[in-house]
Amino acid sequence: MRYIEEFRDPEAAEGVLAAVAHVADEIGATSDTPVHIMEICGGHTHAIFRYGLDKLTPPGIEFIHGPGCPVCVLPMSRVDECVELAERPDVIFCTFGDAMRVPGTVKSLMQAKAEGADIRMVYSPLDALELARRNPGREVVFFGLGFETTTPSTALTIQQAARERLTNFSVFCNHITVPPPIKALLDDPHMVLDGFVGPGHVSMVIGTTPYEFIARDYGKPIVVAGFEPLDLLQSVLMVLEQIRDGRTEVENQYSRVVPKDGNPVSLAAIADVYETRPSFEWRGLGEIDASGLRIREKYAAFDAEAKFGIGYGSVRRVVEEPEGCACGQVMTGRIKPTQCPQYGRGCTPETPLGALMVSSEGACAAYWQYGGRRGLEAAE
Ligand code: SF4
């Protein structure tokens, strides 16, 4: 199987692990003085735990899990607005399955569906567009969610809806961008970060140039990485080598997929359909300047915020986190999931308090899936 088996080869992995251990020694990384490497992407967090890389790498390397799970960083007020939209009798609300179980203040979309709301799980915004064509008497709203990875497909769908002059299709836009939260973390004096493993899928769209400020302005190495175990090990090695050599650069380990300048077709669609919001609220990080996208005026007919008078287009709601919930601290890498007082107690995959426990890219879900209660017991 080309491009998969060779990136899971145990012998090759042993060689890279030996090199990682050697460079970690050279720079004096120990469990008392670890190197803190943040993997920004939730997909990387899951790969690290799925393949046991946190156990295989030397104790002097500490993985800090970043805010790269779009479902997890969605503030509860936005989940509430999804439920509000979905419960309108004229609306068919379409979402990716990942968002169904994310708790809102009162209920999740799953609970709203159980109570009768017409909520459909889709695999693509084009599925929602097809529903709009087939249901001209209903309003079809697509929950546009995600980083630059999913932003182009929503943009292309809006362009298609405009070409077809559909009047019953709109997007509740919650698309966000990766570089601003990295900057916010780097500006936080309490964060200790020595380097980054950069997101692979996002970079496939935006390229590697948008990360240059990390190396240039903050003096931190970043290596854009793939998702197989050897991709991640090699990326960790590249970060360590930069630290050893006193270099701070943007390097691309995932060059078989990520072009330096990104994907021009996707970038053009994004530029045509969206503009940057002045700021956007992130769960755990608060409002971050220029970190969210909204639909441009010329596509306002397809903007659910404008159409239904919700979200950033109207009065914003402030929603408190559930008591004892440490989602914000986990999301920003300040604590590990097992250090959240609710992990495995008030919060499990069956009774989630936070999105991190149910999203396929959530850090708490990764710990639970690959460590379960063992992780909790180890923390006790
Ligand atoms: S265990 Fe639950 S409440 Fe705690 S951080 Fe994870 S998702 Fe949030």
Side-chain angles (χ1 to χ4, degrees), residues 72 103 283 321-331 335-348 351-358 363-365 368:
C72 306
R283 194 172 187 176
E321 297 287 331
E323 203 177 324
C325 157
C327 286
Q329 286 166 280
V330 172
M331 204 118 52
I335 63 169
K336 303 289 184 203
T338 45
Q339 293 171 300
C340 170
Q342 296 288 0
Y343 181 90
R345 299 179 179 93
C347 186
T348 68
T351 56
L353 274 181
L356 285 78
M357 189 54 99
V358 286
C364 301
W368 193 268

Side-chain angles (χ1 to χ4, degrees), residues 14-35:
E14 275 178 26
V16 182
L17 274 167
V20 165
H22 179 70
V23 181
D25 264 357
E26 284 184 312
I27 60 178
T30 68
S31 51
D32 291 333
T33 54
V35 171

Side-chain angles (χ1 to χ4, degrees), residues 31-377:
S31 51
D32 291 333
T33 54
V35 171
H36 300 87
I37 300 178
M38 174 175 273
E39 84 279 0
I40 297 159
C41 171
H44 281 154
T45 305
H46 274 253
I48 286 166
F49 284 92
R50 179 179 177 193
Y51 298 112
L53 305 185
D54 58 318
K55 304 278 190 309
L56 290 169
T57 45
I61 294 168
E62 187 168 349
F63 289 104
I64 309 287
H65 318 309
C69 160
V71 176
C72 306
V73 298
L74 194 71
M76 282 178 88
S77 60
R78 293 298 264 183
V79 180
D80 290 346
E81 283 159 350
C82 286
V83 170
E84 183 183 319
L85 272 173
E87 288 185 331
R88 288 177 63 109
D90 55 334
V91 162
I92 299 174
F93 192 82
C94 300
T95 177
F96 294 136
D98 225 20
M100 285 295 284
R101 297 183 59 221
V102 177
T105 315
V106 178
K107 62 183 92 164
S108 64
L109 284 168
M110 184 76 95
Q111 288 163 319
K113 184 175 171 67
E115 289 170 13
D118 192 348
I119 299 172
R120 317 274 180 102
M121 276 185 278
V122 294
Y123 292 103
S124 153
L126 288 172
D127 294 342
L129 197 66
E130 180 58 19
L131 276 168
R133 292 187 193 110
R134 289 189 190 175
N135 295 273
R138 307 278 305 279
E139 283 289 342
V140 175
V141 180
F142 175 70
F143 183 19
L145 176 68
F147 289 102
E148 292 91 335
T149 324
T150 54
T151 304
S153 62
T154 314
L156 292 164
T157 304
I158 290 173
Q159 288 175 328
Q160 182 62 26
R163 276 193 291 275
E164 294 181 30
R165 295 191 167 82
L166 284 178
T167 57
N168 66 329
F169 175 78
S170 59
V171 171
F172 183 41
C173 183
N174 289 273
H175 286 297
I176 45 181
T177 55
V178 161
I182 302 178
K183 182 174 184 315
L185 289 171
L186 285 165
D187 284 335
D188 183 339
H190 302 296
M191 292 298 300
V192 181
L193 297 169
D194 300 306
F196 293 90
V197 169
H201 294 145
V202 162
S203 307
M204 195 171 66
V205 174
I206 65 173
T208 58
T209 309
Y211 307 121
E212 283 175 358
F213 74 95
I214 298 170
R216 184 190 60 233
D217 302 340
Y218 293 90
K220 307 287 180 191
I222 175 167
V223 177
V224 172
F227 292 83
E228 295 300 328
L230 273 168
D231 285 320
L232 281 159
L233 288 177
Q234 189 184 13
S235 300
V236 168
L237 177 60
M238 290 165 76
V239 169
L240 295 176
E241 285 173 340
Q242 284 202 42
I243 293 171
R244 179 196 60 193
D245 301 343
R247 290 180 288 123
T248 52
E249 296 169 15
V250 181
E251 291 186 303
N252 185 5
Q253 183 277 336
Y254 205 25
S255 57
R256 67 188 186 279
V257 170
V258 173
K260 182 173 187 295
D261 296 321
N263 181 316
V265 175
S266 296
L267 291 171
I270 291 172
D272 178 51
V273 172
Y274 308 106
E275 61 189 6
T276 306
R277 296 179 195 263
S279 77
F280 194 74
E281 184 188 349
W282 292 58
R283 194 172 187 176
L285 286 162
E287 292 279 340
I288 301 179
D289 290 350
S291 63
L293 301 175
R294 66 184 173 205
I295 295 168
R296 285 186 188 278
E297 182 63 31
K298 72 173 176 173
Y299 291 108
F302 306 98
D303 182 355
E305 286 183 10
K307 201 171 200 175
F308 299 101
I310 54 164
Y312 277 78
S314 66
V315 179
R316 299 287 337 286
R317 290 173 229 175
V318 177
V319 175
E320 297 294 329
E321 297 287 331
E323 203 177 324
C325 157
C327 286
Q329 286 166 280
V330 172
M331 204 118 52
T332 49
R334 288 173 173 82
I335 63 169
K336 303 289 184 203
T338 45
Q339 293 171 300
C340 170
Q342 296 288 0
Y343 181 90
R345 299 179 179 93
C347 186
T348 68
E350 289 74 37
T351 56
L353 274 181
L356 285 78
M357 189 54 99
V358 286
S359 168
S360 62
E361 295 192 345
C364 301
Y367 272 67
W368 193 268
Q369 200 170 340
Y370 302 110
R373 287 196 64 83
R374 277 181 289 132
L376 178 64
E377 282 148 16

